[in-house]
Amino acid sequence: MAFPAISKLVVVGVGLIGGSFALALRRAGLVDRVVGMGRSPENMQRALELGIIDEQTSDFAAALSGADFVLLAIPVKQTAGVMQQMAPHLKAHTIISDVGSTKQNVVHAARANLGKRIERFIPAHPIAGTEFNGAEAAFPDLFQDKPVILTPLQENDQQIVDRVADLWQHCGASVSSMLPEQHDQLLAAISHLPHMLAFSLMQHIRTLSHTLSEGDPLALLRFAGSSLNDMTRITASSPEMWRDICLENRAALLAQIEAYQQELSGLQQMLADHDGESLEKLFAEARAIRQAWSAFRNQS
Amino acid sequence: MAFPAISKLVVVGVGLIGGSFALALRRAGLVDRVVGMGRSPENMQRALELGIIDEQTSDFAAALSGADFVLLAIPVKQTAGVMQQMAPHLKAHTIISDVGSTKQNVVHAARANLGKRIERFIPAHPIAGTEFNGAEAAFPDLFQDKPVILTPLQENDQQIVDRVADLWQHCGASVSSMLPEQHDQLLAAISHLPHMLAFSLMQHIRTLSHTLSEGDPLALLRFAGSSLNDMTRITASSPEMWRDICLENRAALLAQIEAYQQELSGLQQMLADHDGESLEKLFAEARAIRQAWSAFRNQS
């Protein structure tokens, strides 16, 4: 079915994600007016100049009056506070969604703060980004062919879930749905765990340098080739951001680290047992998955 | 000091490494005649056609007669057998070196098979390679700006060690020396361990897919971004080769896996303790090393 355009879109946090969402919906002709809210006056001014938003306000009552869609595009930590401020001004027909990279804690914040309005809150996570941020970095193609995961709640109307999915599809995204706990487990496995392994690997080199090279990791790293380079590229990421992600998705990440350690211990046991056959089988299975993944990406 | 050119170089195994060494020394004007030995007649024929070698033989007596330098560029597993065949024909003045990616086992094979000739055996490991192999893949610039690690023995004359270092420098390489056990520990840390972590990560995704996506890893991987992609790129490597490397450097690799697990357990404990401050510090330290490494590579 075709959904009507949004007459008033409120974007709370007009950065890379929020700004790109507004630009993509504008380009698709699916939004009439965009109101921006945000804490940095300079960034809001830039968003106005770039035509990402039509007006800005810091007043939730004014912003939410007549709004048919509110997107929360803010750090997950701020979700509860913003929902608490919004709640008294939310209209019965307003749809609310977010872009948080963890979902159980966002759902928890929503249940604690939105009251009956939770019926029209559809949690979402677009898996897209660049190394830049702010309104300046926004562009309408950011979500093209990128996954967006919705984690609908039992309180949600299917029609509203479909509407949110439709908006993301018009942004070019490929939309899936799952439970919030499945989402958090999945992201812990495919993103958060790999980051922890990379950070630990770099720390391991650092520790080793104390016995091998008088505490100078570069004296070891100068012998390293592309394998260690590839494995540690993501350790250049923001320490503050990863501290927050870790704490926000703590339980799921702990479970993933534990399961990974069992996998690594299995390999260690094969090695302790001189079990070349099992090692080769393990390496071959891993390669087969890697090759299937590469083929999948090349065709899509 | 300037060393004389090699009048007769014997390359046992004319593949990517052995072939590139011959080509680099030829280009430097440091070798008069190259004799190739190898198990594949097609590859030896190709090496002749490409001008990498001047002649080929499968007779060690003929090859080693008058040879002043022998390079063993064969899989490490074959080292002991080839040394045993070579030993009766080695002349007193012939220098022997190798390119094996593990060194303690090569030294062990040499002590068991070379007798008094071990005085002129200088173990070496050029850390260079491409995803291709065979004589066809050889090129004289392979070692340009790449590290070569020598692991000289107490039996070696310093002048012969210097001669081997000089040859590699003329191939464009940056030469270092360390003990065989230091080499094996270093390579376990900067290359073998990262491969084990990547293989285990892919296996972890596979195991997880049994509970999350009916055993289909692609149903999870389709949501993954560049972090998992970077972290698992090396799982496309040859399972047979990695089985052999694991078994050849088993003790050092086991020690590295164990030390890594302690590092990862430390991170896990910080997470279990909600210790955001320690997590942020750990991430920041890892990033600082990564950034120093990137700066080092950009300047060299």
Side-chain angles (χ1 to χ4, degrees):
Chain A
M1 66 174 291
F3 294 97
I6 297 168
S7 56
K8 183 178 178 183
L9 168 67
V10 178
V11 178
V12 185
V14 191
L16 173 66
I17 304 287
S20 295
F21 181 76
L23 286 174
L25 291 187
R26 263 194 204 285
R27 191 174 61 178
L30 284 172
V31 64
D32 295 334
R33 191 155 60 104
V34 181
V35 177
M37 301 186 73
R39 294 188 303 181
S40 156
E42 297 76 19
N43 187 58
M44 299 313 289
Q45 184 55 37
R46 198 72 194 106
L48 279 168
E49 288 164 9
L50 291 165
I52 297 172
I53 60 176
D54 299 298
E55 55 187 283
Q56 64 138 324
T57 177
S58 53
D59 176 5
F60 277 104
L64 296 174
S65 166
D68 33 13
F69 196 100
V70 181
L71 186 77
L72 302 183
I74 54 181
V76 170
K77 285 172 72 170
Q78 299 170 20
T79 307
V82 167
M83 283 178 170
Q84 193 179 19
Q85 288 178 271
M86 280 171 55
H89 311 290
L90 276 169
K91 305 302 172 211
H93 79 288
T94 309
I95 298 173
I96 312 139
S97 189
D98 81 314
V99 302
S101 58
T102 51
K103 297 269 66 96
Q104 288 174 101
N105 55 352
V106 166
V107 170
H108 186 262
R111 287 203 205 284
N113 290 288
L114 293 185
K116 194 175 147 48
R117 298 283 182 246
I118 200 162
E119 287 174 7
R120 297 174 79 84
F121 172 62
I122 317 293
H125 177 203
I127 304 177
T130 70
E131 63 273 45
F132 305 108
N133 47 49
E136 191 74 42
F139 61 102
D141 275 326
L142 177 63
F143 307 110
Q144 193 63 47
D145 300 323
K146 292 294 192 303
V148 170
I149 299 174
L150 306 183
T151 63
L153 309 175
Q154 59 195 24
E155 296 93 331
N156 295 155
D157 241 1
Q158 187 57 45
Q159 207 189 331
I160 302 189
V161 176
D162 292 345
R163 174 112 194 245
V164 173
D166 182 72
L167 289 171
W168 280 112
Q169 279 154 0
H170 277 95
C171 294
S174 161
V175 180
S176 306
S177 287
M178 59 183 74
L179 295 171
E181 54 268 34
Q182 284 177 322
H183 168 278
D184 289 355
Q185 190 178 9
L186 175 66
L187 269 287
I190 63 175
S191 170
H192 310 166
L193 173 67
H195 278 83
M196 296 309 109
L197 300 183
F199 284 124
S200 298
L201 181 54
M202 212 42 134
Q203 277 290 348
H204 170 66
I205 298 291
R206 182 171 175 271
T207 302
L208 196 64
S209 74
H210 291 297
T211 52
L212 285 190
S213 58
E214 296 170 351
D216 177 14
L218 285 185
L220 308 179
L221 291 168
R222 58 184 288 265
F223 295 108
S226 59
S227 58
L228 193 67
N229 187 34
D230 285 355
M231 294 283 292
T232 58
R233 200 184 313 275
I234 53 182
T235 61
S237 310
S238 157
E240 300 77 18
M241 188 181 83
W242 278 100
R243 176 202 62 202
D244 289 349
I245 291 175
C246 280
L247 297 176
E248 281 152 16
N249 203 20
R250 190 177 150 275
L253 180 52
L254 275 172
Q256 291 300 313
I257 294 175
E258 194 165 315
Y260 177 82
Q261 277 177 325
Q262 284 176 26
E263 206 75 57
L264 186 58
S265 295
L267 188 157
Q268 191 177 20
Q269 191 58 53
M270 292 173 196
L271 200 51
D273 295 344
H274 292 79
D275 185 354
E277 197 178 327
S278 296
L279 286 169
E280 186 179 347
K281 179 167 175 284
L282 186 152
F283 300 158
E285 284 171 350
R287 180 168 72 164
I289 297 172
R290 173 73 197 181
Q291 288 172 336
W293 187 23
S294 297
F296 169 81
R297 274 184 311 202
N298 289 339
Q299 87 189 19
S300 61
Chain B
M1 66 173 289
F3 293 99
I6 297 168
S7 55
K8 183 177 178 184
L9 169 67
V10 178
V11 178
V12 185
V14 192
L16 172 67
I17 304 289
S20 296
F21 181 75
L23 287 174
L25 290 188
R26 262 193 206 286
R27 191 174 60 179
L30 284 172
V31 63
D32 295 332
R33 191 155 61 103
V34 181
V35 177
M37 301 188 73
R39 293 188 304 181
S40 155
E42 296 77 18
N43 187 59
M44 297 313 291
Q45 184 56 38
R46 197 74 194 104
L48 280 168
E49 288 164 10
L50 290 165
I52 298 171
I53 60 176
D54 299 299
E55 55 188 281
Q56 63 139 325
T57 178
S58 52
D59 176 5
F60 277 104
L64 296 175
S65 165
D68 35 12
F69 197 100
V70 181
L71 186 77
L72 301 182
I74 53 181
V76 170
K77 285 173 70 169
Q78 299 170 21
T79 306
V82 167
M83 284 178 170
Q84 192 178 19
Q85 288 177 270
M86 279 170 56
H89 310 291
L90 275 170
K91 305 302 172 211
H93 79 289
T94 309
I95 298 174
I96 313 140
S97 190
D98 80 314
V99 301
S101 57
T102 52
K103 296 269 66 95
Q104 289 175 102
N105 55 352
V106 166
V107 171
H108 186 263
R111 287 205 205 284
N113 290 287
L114 294 185
K116 192 175 148 47
R117 299 282 181 248
I118 201 161
E119 288 174 8
R120 299 175 77 84
F121 172 62
I122 316 293
H125 177 204
I127 305 177
T130 70
E131 63 272 48
F132 305 108
N133 47 49
E136 190 75 43
F139 62 102
D141 277 325
L142 177 62
F143 307 110
Q144 193 63 50
D145 301 323
K146 293 295 192 302
V148 170
I149 299 175
L150 305 183
T151 63
L153 309 175
Q154 60 195 27
E155 296 93 332
N156 295 155
D157 240 0
Q158 188 57 43
Q159 206 188 334
I160 302 190
V161 176
D162 292 345
R163 172 110 196 249
V164 174
D166 182 72
L167 290 172
W168 280 112
Q169 279 155 0
H170 278 95
C171 294
S174 161
V175 180
S176 306
S177 287
M178 59 184 75
L179 295 171
E181 53 269 35
Q182 284 177 321
H183 167 278
D184 289 357
Q185 190 179 12
L186 175 66
L187 268 287
I190 64 176
S191 169
H192 309 166
L193 173 68
H195 278 83
M196 295 309 109
L197 300 183
F199 284 124
S200 297
L201 182 54
M202 212 41 133
Q203 276 291 347
H204 170 66
I205 299 292
R206 182 171 175 272
T207 302
L208 197 64
S209 74
H210 291 297
T211 53
L212 285 189
S213 58
E214 296 170 351
D216 177 15
L218 286 185
L220 308 178
L221 292 169
R222 59 185 289 264
F223 296 107
S226 59
S227 57
L228 192 67
N229 186 35
D230 285 356
M231 295 282 292
T232 60
R233 201 186 312 276
I234 54 181
T235 61
S237 310
S238 157
E240 298 77 17
M241 189 182 82
W242 278 99
R243 177 202 60 202
D244 289 349
I245 291 174
C246 281
L247 296 176
E248 282 152 17
N249 203 19
R250 189 176 151 273
L253 180 52
L254 275 172
Q256 290 301 312
I257 293 175
E258 194 166 344
Y260 178 82
Q261 277 177 324
Q262 284 176 26
E263 207 74 58
L264 185 57
S265 295
L267 188 157
Q268 190 177 22
Q269 191 59 51
M270 292 173 195
L271 200 51
D273 294 344
H274 292 78
D275 185 354
E277 196 179 326
S278 296
L279 286 168
E280 186 178 347
K281 178 166 175 285
L282 185 152
F283 301 158
E285 284 170 350
R287 181 167 71 165
I289 297 173
R290 172 74 197 179
Q291 287 171 337
W293 187 23
S294 296
F296 169 81
R297 273 184 311 202
N298 289 339
Q299 89 191 15
S300 60

